[in-house]
Each structure stands twice: as structure tokens, then as C-alpha cells.
Amino acid sequence: MSLSILRLSRLRPPVRAMVLLHWCYDLVGAMTGVFVQIFLYQEFASVEFNVLTLSAYFTAVIIGFSGVGALAGAYRLNMKWGYLAAFFALAGSFALLFGEVSRADALWFTVVNGFGLGLYWLTLHTFELTETRNDERDLYSSLLTAGGQVIDLAAPVAVTALFFVSEQVFGFGAYTLLFVIAPLIYLAGIPLLSSLRTYRPEPLDWHDVRHFFLDRRNRASQLYFFGGSASFALSRVAIPLAAIMLLGTETRVGIVNAIFAAISAGVILFVAKIRHAGNRMRFLFVTSMMAAVVTAVPALWFTLPAYLAYALGMVVLRPLQRTSAHVIDLETMETLGRKERDFFPTMVLRDVALGFWRIASLAILALVMAVVGEGEGAIRACFVVLALSYVIQYLGARAMTRK
């Protein structure tokens, strides 16, 4: 841990700012991501509704990322303002979860929150690509992932305490304080923007669109995008709902997440020392295949011991797999576009592809659910598709890098 803090302090100021900005996002995500899905399931008792809200969420993410990105290019807007606009959208969305929450309120929350998150990612990825160099991205990605795992250790403890104080001390609903405090965390990132340069993107044109979707190498990249999008989308359904079904209460979910995150943080900090550009694909292969095998366990045996075995394996494998994938993601934004253009058009178009594949993977899950039904059958089916997505992501990465 001390070595990682020393490495962070030695990073160039803009790169260090990007790590800290990412940690703000990770903290809010760790505090709300799992528990929002649990909250919606507890309110409406429908896996199908959770899938519907996530589909609306990812549609809004596309608009917030790619729609605003296209406008930013057309009008040469200063991308630093994207972070502030994202904060107001993210903060305001949580107001829709106070009091008696209807299905319409829940859908509007996911739309506004998704739009804000898309805008936040647009800003974050823009400055990741303008402020970090390829030779420092493995360390950068390892540090932000390791910090994210430490956050994953602290966040469930903090959320569990908020549940208790909100309900037992103040007499509010269990989630009230969480939905008040979590949005304010984004404010902590505002001073970091002073370390970043002003960036005004160039407009997208038809040649960018044609190249992204029709270029031979870019067609191969769609397999990689599908695998990564499916694993991201389906984990948002499978993990929270399996946890609440098998553990029983949100407090128990928080405790288990905190214990397992401690193990994960230690592994990530250690592996940060040995990862580099030369072994990215090897790490992606090993972690993707192992993640697929571990994810199949709760699909075959939907029991508490099986889920705990899966959770213990994935707190190590998921961040390791994601660390390599994250660096490859940044590389694709820089290399899949036209040679005479910078990264911005590719970054915007890539998010259109990601959003489409996330929604498509949820549609596949919905079709499977129509056959197997709600409840346990739906969650087991989700784990099956999730396991396959890790394999598909690696195969896509291999095909893309070979071409």
C-alpha cells in the first residue's frame, strides 16, 4: 500500500488528477451500484423490471456520452464543463428515489442517472486520453483499480452504517441518507480539474462513421465490444440480485462485500508491480478464462456456498481482468480511428457500439427469461450468459490485435 501511494505521488499532476477523479466515480459506484439494484428489486420484486430499467439506463448513457459528445465536437465546447454538468444530473437523479417510489419514478431515475453517467464517462475518457501516455497506462490502470478495491472495502462498511443511522437513529427509510450523501461525493473532484488542460474536440463527420463501422479491423473489434458490454450489463443484474436472494438483507450484502474487497485490494496492489504493456493480453486471457469458469458455479448450483465461492473468486479475477481490458479500451479509442484524426470521434462512436451491445445482451437475457421464468431461473440464466461474455471478450481482443 505504501509503495502504491509513493507511485501515485510520483505521477505527473494531470495523471494523478485522473486517478483521483476515477476514485470519486468508484466511490459513488461502490456505494450505490449494487444497492440501487437491490432497492429496485425490493420495491418491485421483479427481475424483469430490473432488466427494463437497465435497458433505459444504458440508452440514456448513449445519449449522455455520444449525443453530447457529438454536440461538443460540433460546437467546439470546453470538455471541462462536462464534469460539472454530469454532477448536477447525477445528483439530481437521486431526488427521484425519495418517499414513495413508483415504477415511473424508478424509470426516470435510471434515465437521468444514466445520462449523467454517460456525460461523466465522456469527460473522464477524454482526459484519460489527453493526459495519459501509453507507456504509463498500465501503472495508471493498476493504481486506479487498486484504489477502487480499497474503496470497495470501505464503501460497504460506510453504506451499512448509513443504513443503520438512517433507519434506527433518524427514523428515515434505510436508503435515505445514502441517496443524500452519495451524489455530493462528486463535488470532491471539482478542484482536480485545475490540473487538466483545456480540450475542445473537432466535429465528427461521415467519414469517421463510415471508417468506424466498415473498416476491417473495426469490424473485428465489435466482438470485443460485445463481450465487454455484456459482462458489464449482465453483472449489474446477476450479482446484486443473487446476493440479496441468498444473503437475505442489504446489511449482510454489505458485510460480505467488505470482507471480500480486502482480499481483492491486496492482490491488485501486488499485481500492479508485474503488469506491463508486454503481458496485457496474457493477463486478459488467464483472467477471462478463469472468470468464465468461476461464474459458471452459481449457474450450476444456486446455493449460498456456491455464491460465496463465486464472489471470493471474482473479487480477485474481475478487477484483474478489468485492469487489462481498461488499458486495451484506451488503446482502441486511439488506434481504431482514421490516421489523420485524433481519438475523439472514435471514442464517441465506440460508446454507441457499447450501448447497443449492452442493450442487446439484456434483450438476450429477457428472451431467456421468457423461457425459464422469473426468480432463481432468471438469475442462473444470467450467470450462464455472463460466463460466456468473458470468453467472447478475450476472443474479440485477440482477433482485434491480430488484425
Side-chain angles (χ1 to χ4, degrees):
M1 179 71 77
S2 61
L3 179 61
S4 295
I5 293 173
L6 179 62
R7 286 174 170 167
L8 176 65
S9 67
R10 289 177 176 175
L11 289 175
R12 294 183 296 110
V15 182
R16 185 166 59 248
M18 292 312 306
V19 173
L20 296 174
L21 278 169
H22 213 296
W23 286 351
C24 291
Y25 159 72
D26 278 346
L27 181 54
V28 177
M31 294 180 71
T32 62
V34 169
F35 294 104
V36 164
Q37 288 300 307
I38 291 175
F39 171 78
L40 294 178
Y41 183 73
Q42 289 175 327
E43 287 287 316
F44 306 111
S46 172
V47 179
E48 189 177 82
F49 184 71
N50 280 67
V51 172
L52 174 63
T53 57
L54 277 176
S55 298
Y57 175 80
F58 290 130
T59 301
V61 169
I62 297 174
I63 297 170
F65 193 115
S66 300
V68 175
L71 289 175
Y75 293 98
R76 304 298 307 275
L77 302 178
N78 182 355
M79 291 304 299
K80 282 189 179 184
W81 291 106
Y83 185 86
L84 297 176
F87 165 74
F88 287 113
L90 289 163
S93 68
F94 283 92
L96 293 163
L97 297 182
F98 291 124
E100 294 293 327
V101 179
S102 66
R103 292 195 174 212
D105 293 330
L107 278 171
W108 274 112
F109 162 77
T110 57
V111 169
V112 177
N113 190 267
F115 176 82
L117 188 61
L119 184 53
Y120 183 82
W121 277 351
L122 171 69
T123 310
L124 191 69
H125 286 331
T126 295
F127 290 115
E128 280 184 323
L129 289 161
T130 57
E131 302 291 1
T132 67
R133 300 189 300 257
N134 185 57
D135 61 349
E136 61 191 357
R137 284 178 184 164
D138 288 280
L139 176 59
Y140 162 75
S141 185
S142 294
L143 284 175
L144 65 87
T145 305
Q149 295 309 113
V150 174
I151 287 169
D152 283 346
L153 170 61
V157 177
V159 171
T160 302
L162 286 175
F163 286 154
F164 176 81
V165 172
S166 183
E167 194 168 28
Q168 302 299 324
V169 177
F170 293 110
F172 302 148
Y175 291 89
T176 302
L177 283 182
L178 173 62
F179 293 157
V180 170
I181 292 174
L184 301 179
I185 296 171
Y186 286 106
L187 281 174
I190 293 176
L192 298 169
L193 297 179
S194 62
S195 299
L196 307 178
R197 294 170 291 177
T198 296
Y199 175 79
R200 297 179 185 275
E202 295 183 1
L204 280 74
D205 61 36
W206 171 247
H207 298 291
D208 295 317
V209 178
R210 187 177 184 278
H211 177 84
F212 182 81
F213 289 105
L214 298 182
D215 179 76
R216 186 177 180 183
R217 181 170 178 245
N218 289 1
R219 290 200 301 269
S221 71
Q222 295 302 319
L223 188 64
Y224 173 74
F225 293 154
F226 172 73
S229 298
S231 63
F232 179 78
L234 298 175
S235 64
R236 299 289 290 265
V237 179
I239 297 172
L241 301 192
I244 196 65
M245 286 179 183
L246 294 170
L247 291 169
T249 67
E250 60 270 10
T251 302
R252 291 176 185 172
V253 174
I255 293 170
V256 169
N257 287 353
I259 294 171
F260 286 175
I263 301 169
S264 181
V267 172
I268 296 298
L269 290 171
F270 173 77
V271 173
K273 298 184 294 184
I274 60 176
R275 285 186 69 261
H276 53 79
N279 60 19
R280 286 174 191 167
M281 287 300 295
R282 192 183 317 147
F283 266 92
L284 186 67
F285 170 72
V286 173
T287 54
S288 296
M289 296 306 108
M290 292 179 68
V293 172
V294 171
T295 303
V297 171
L300 296 172
W301 303 282
F302 195 72
T303 63
L304 182 57
Y307 173 77
L308 293 177
Y310 157 79
L312 181 59
M314 290 304 291
V315 293
V316 174
L317 292 171
R318 189 186 305 109
L320 287 178
Q321 195 264 358
R322 181 57 203 146
T323 300
S324 287
H326 178 247
V327 180
I328 295 171
D329 289 344
L330 295 178
E331 185 180 359
T332 63
M333 296 181 214
E334 287 186 326
T335 62
L336 294 183
R338 294 155 59 202
K339 291 182 179 179
E340 65 273 19
R341 302 280 275 167
D342 74 355
F343 67 90
F344 194 80
T346 303
M347 184 182 76
V348 171
L349 293 168
R350 170 184 169 273
D351 196 73
V352 174
L354 293 179
F356 173 81
W357 290 124
R358 287 167 185 160
I359 295 169
S361 64
L362 290 172
I364 292 170
L365 176 61
L367 290 174
V368 174
M369 286 171 54
V371 176
V372 302
E374 283 267 13
E376 179 183 325
I379 301 304
R380 292 177 75 156
C382 191
F383 276 111
V384 171
V385 183
L386 181 58
L388 292 173
S389 71
Y390 290 117
V391 178
I392 292 171
Q393 184 178 20
Y394 169 73
L395 294 175
R398 187 178 67 174
M400 183 173 59
T401 53
R402 283 183 176 179
K403 289 182 179 293

